[in-house]
């Protein structure tokens, strides 16, 4: 049974950002708060080649306190808050960005 997934991908294709990646996690709401997100992130971050990745960016649709807490446990710091840039679940949503520098 799959309860969630996480992955890392290039943040921007331009050469200047070749050492920056975005980390993404999705969990079924029924399984949040059980440590699955932490396990997924621990594994991904352990596997990162830090000679090829200098910064990880995480975009979080707000409000989402559980995701904010998860990222901050790993040392991510909030660096942006953009108002009403995404349409989700029938309403405009804010998105914040958190970053982790190695």
């Amino acid at each position: 049974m799959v309860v969630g997934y996480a992955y890392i991908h290039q943040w921007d294709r331009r050469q200047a950002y070749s050492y920056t990646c975005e980390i993404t996690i999705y969990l079924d709401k029924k399984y949040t708060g059980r440590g699955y997100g932490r396990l997924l992130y621990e594994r991904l971050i352990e596997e990162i080649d830090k000679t090829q990745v200098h910064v990880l960016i995480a975009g979080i649709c707000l409000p989402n306190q559980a995701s904010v807490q998860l990222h901050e446990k790993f040392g991510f710091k909030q660096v942006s808050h953009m108002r009403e840039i995404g349409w989700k679940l029938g309403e405009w949503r804010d998105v914040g960005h958190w970053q982790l520098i190695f």
Side-chain angles (χ1 to χ4, degrees):
M1 170 176 42
V2 176
V3 299
Y5 62 94
Y7 62 95
I8 296 172
H9 59 91
Q10 192 67 36
W11 184 66
D12 189 299
R13 292 182 190 254
R14 290 177 281 184
Q15 182 64 33
Y17 305 110
S18 61
Y19 294 96
T20 302
C21 288
E22 183 172 9
I23 191 165
T24 302
I25 187 167
Y26 292 99
L27 289 176
D28 184 313
K29 285 187 179 192
K30 295 180 281 193
Y31 294 94
T32 61
R34 298 184 186 188
Y36 294 115
R38 180 184 50 79
L39 289 171
L40 287 168
Y41 265 26
E42 282 175 356
R43 180 60 189 229
L44 277 176
I45 291 172
E46 284 173 8
E47 295 296 320
I48 290 173
D49 179 350
K50 294 180 180 87
T51 65
Q52 297 296 315
V53 177
H54 178 63
V55 176
L56 284 177
I57 303 286
I60 302 174
C61 188
L62 301 171
N64 187 339
Q65 192 57 34
S67 186
V68 168
Q69 288 175 339
L70 173 66
H71 287 86
E72 290 180 351
K73 281 182 186 177
F74 282 94
F76 284 78
K77 304 289 185 207
Q78 186 174 9
V79 294
S80 79
H81 186 130
M82 296 182 284
R83 307 259 182 228
E84 299 185 6
I85 66 162
W87 181 261
K88 183 177 177 182
L89 303 174
E91 64 182 3
W92 290 107
R93 303 294 295 269
D94 294 359
V95 172
H97 288 95
W98 275 252
Q99 81 178 88
L100 177 64
I101 300 173
F102 293 108

